Amino acid sequence: MAVSFSVNGRDYRVEDDGQTPLLWVLRDTLALTGPKYGCGIAQCGACTVHVDDQPVRSCSVPVEAVAGAAVTTIEGVSGQEASAVQAAWVARDVPQCGFCQSGQVMSAVALLRANPAPDDAAIDMAMSGNLCRCGTYNRIRAAIHDAARAIRGGQA
């Protein structure tokens, strides 16, 4: 089955089985290895990408479900929120092993696009689908607050 969609602003037409998870099409067919395989059941968030600007777990989305959609991976995420999150991640030294971080960043960017001034509860809710084996949750939350402040021009 041929499926057409865009990834990171580039149009693709893939011939994979329509039921193939988007994650495997991204990684194996398109060689975009930023989204990671963690659990395969949409519970860990390592595979998070944006589909039409919404965070989704690409391991559980069949590629036929994104026909005509715009997919963004960690390789192509950009904009004010993405820049602020990436800078805050570096400043806070968030990653340890780094395995979950592309999914964490994608979820954080989506949160800040929807809510530029999240409180702890909003951050915890938005990030609850992303697991970190290294337990860097406090640094992740602090980095999201830093990014939100940066987006608002340093205002508290």
Side-chain angles (χ1 to χ4, degrees):
M1 166 181 199
V3 178
S4 297
F5 57 102
S6 72
V7 180
N8 301 331
R10 183 173 170 198
D11 292 333
Y12 289 94
R13 179 181 167 91
V14 297
E15 297 289 334
D16 297 59
D17 181 297
Q19 290 299 304
T20 302
L22 175 60
L23 175 63
W24 298 122
V25 173
L26 292 171
R27 290 182 61 82
D28 295 343
T29 304
L30 303 181
L32 295 168
T33 58
K36 305 295 184 219
Y37 175 79
C39 67
I41 57 172
Q43 297 297 302
C44 74
C47 66
T48 303
V49 300
H50 295 172
V51 176
D52 292 334
D53 296 321
Q54 296 301 309
V56 300
R57 308 302 185 245
S58 62
C59 72
S60 64
V61 175
V63 69
E64 67 187 7
V66 300
V71 176
T72 305
T73 69
I74 191 73
E75 292 93 342
V77 71
S78 62
Q80 179 181 20
E81 297 83 3
S83 295
V85 166
Q86 291 164 351
W89 247 241
V90 170
R92 287 283 180 171
D93 199 21
V94 171
Q96 282 187 13
C97 82
F99 189 82
C100 70
Q101 294 305 309
S102 62
Q104 299 276 4
V105 167
M106 295 302 285
S107 291
V109 169
L111 165 63
L112 292 174
R113 286 181 177 161
N115 180 357
D119 59 14
D120 283 348
I123 292 170
D124 292 348
M125 176 65 73
M127 302 303 290
S128 67
N130 293 83
L131 301 179
C132 175
R133 296 184 284 197
C134 301
T136 64
Y137 300 111
N138 290 333
R139 287 187 288 191
I140 290 168
R141 186 185 303 121
I144 293 171
H145 281 300
D146 292 349
R149 272 191 300 281
I151 291 166
R152 295 189 313 269
Q155 300 171 359

